[in-house]
Amino acid sequence: AAARTATRRVMTAPAGSPEQALAHAYAELSRGLGREPSGRELADAAGTSKSTANRWKARSTNPPPSHHDPLST
């Protein structure tokens, strides 16, 4: 069987805000990787810092709890 080699695609961020670039990169990476991208992968793809990417991920992928969710005891 032929060995598979990892290929790294460099994506350019679309024009617009950093949030738009992060959202676009997140969607593309998630689809391509088949998993949630790391903060470093997301930062590299969106052209932002790792800390900016991680803050965006925390805000965007962890919605606040609903008031309908039961409280843990």
Side-chain angles (χ1 to χ4, degrees):
R4 296 184 79 192
T5 58
T7 303
R8 183 173 226 190
R9 292 186 344 180
V10 176
M11 296 185 300
T12 58
S17 71
E19 290 79 16
Q20 289 172 322
L22 287 161
H24 177 76
Y26 185 90
E28 290 293 317
L29 286 169
S30 294
R31 192 171 21 258
L33 297 170
R35 60 172 171 78
E36 180 178 307
S38 70
R40 172 55 52 209
E41 291 167 329
L42 184 56
D44 289 346
T48 65
S49 69
K50 182 178 156 188
S51 61
T52 298
N54 284 330
R55 281 193 303 271
W56 180 87
K57 279 177 55 177
R59 284 193 314 266
S60 300
T61 61
N62 297 323
S66 167
H67 66 276
H68 297 288
D69 293 338
L71 297 174
S72 59
T73 55

